[in-house]
Amino acid sequence: LTSECKMTTIEFGSFRYNVVMKLLPRVYEMIQIRAQRTLRDLYYADVGFFKDQVAVNKAFNDLSCILRVPRWSLNCVASTKGLVAGNLRLRSPDGTLVDCETSQIGTPSLEDWEILPSTAEFVLIIEKDSTFQQLIDDGFL
């Protein structure tokens, strides 16, 4: 978290402040319904307001720093390279335990993650993110 946390002062009423405030309820909702989104998804939710992708990226980093949590724990990733859901438990590089049955995670790479013992009978690999999201939303995984 500390290496990613490069936040400057955000002035009340500034555009950057407004972007953070716009993202906050969306992130809260994503956590509540256990939905995974990319930063790009957040940007396209209101292109007119956000102006550009960079504004969303910076504001999301600010939000992560303000809350003192890693970005992945807010159910949002820079870009989806892989998603994990189901009967699997992982330990993140910072030591956090993640139960993939109760929350799906998106991660650029599981290379530095520890996969804990599991009773999973199979691994299903789905290439299309939209298909994966639909299976999650339908309760299949």
Side-chain angles (χ1 to χ4, degrees):
L1 177 64
T2 54
S3 64
E4 293 178 8
C5 201
K6 296 180 176 102
M7 188 178 79
T8 59
T9 303
I10 302 174
E11 186 177 326
F12 179 78
S14 68
F15 176 68
R16 192 164 177 179
Y17 172 85
N18 291 336
V19 172
V20 169
M21 299 311 335
K22 181 95 168 172
L23 289 177
L24 192 56
R26 291 169 192 225
V27 170
Y28 177 75
E29 179 186 25
M30 288 167 20
I31 291 169
Q32 289 296 105
I33 65 171
R34 295 185 177 132
Q36 177 81 39
R37 301 289 181 261
T38 66
L39 290 172
R40 197 90 176 136
D41 293 334
L42 293 174
Y43 168 67
Y44 278 116
D46 196 342
V47 175
F49 176 81
F50 293 126
K51 297 182 184 174
D52 61 34
Q53 181 70 55
V54 174
V56 172
N57 297 355
K58 287 180 180 179
F60 197 84
N61 186 59
D62 291 342
L63 188 55
S64 171
C65 292
I66 290 166
L67 298 174
R68 297 176 189 244
V69 296
R71 287 171 28 156
W72 63 264
S73 71
L74 298 175
N75 290 6
C76 191
V77 292
S79 66
T80 305
K81 299 288 186 206
L83 295 171
V84 180
N87 185 6
L88 190 62
R89 289 185 40 200
L90 306 169
R91 187 180 325 273
S92 73
D94 68 5
T96 304
L97 289 176
V98 177
D99 183 349
C100 298
E101 277 192 304
T102 58
S103 75
Q104 64 165 343
I105 63 164
T107 178
S109 168
L110 289 176
E111 171 178 320
D112 296 329
W113 292 61
E114 178 184 355
I115 300 173
L116 302 174
S118 170
T119 59
E121 296 180 22
F122 64 91
V123 173
L124 177 64
I125 299 171
I126 302 167
E127 189 173 329
K128 298 285 292 173
D129 179 60
S130 59
T131 303
F132 183 87
Q133 290 298 333
Q134 189 63 53
L135 290 172
I136 292 291
D137 293 345
D138 291 345
F140 181 76
L141 298 177

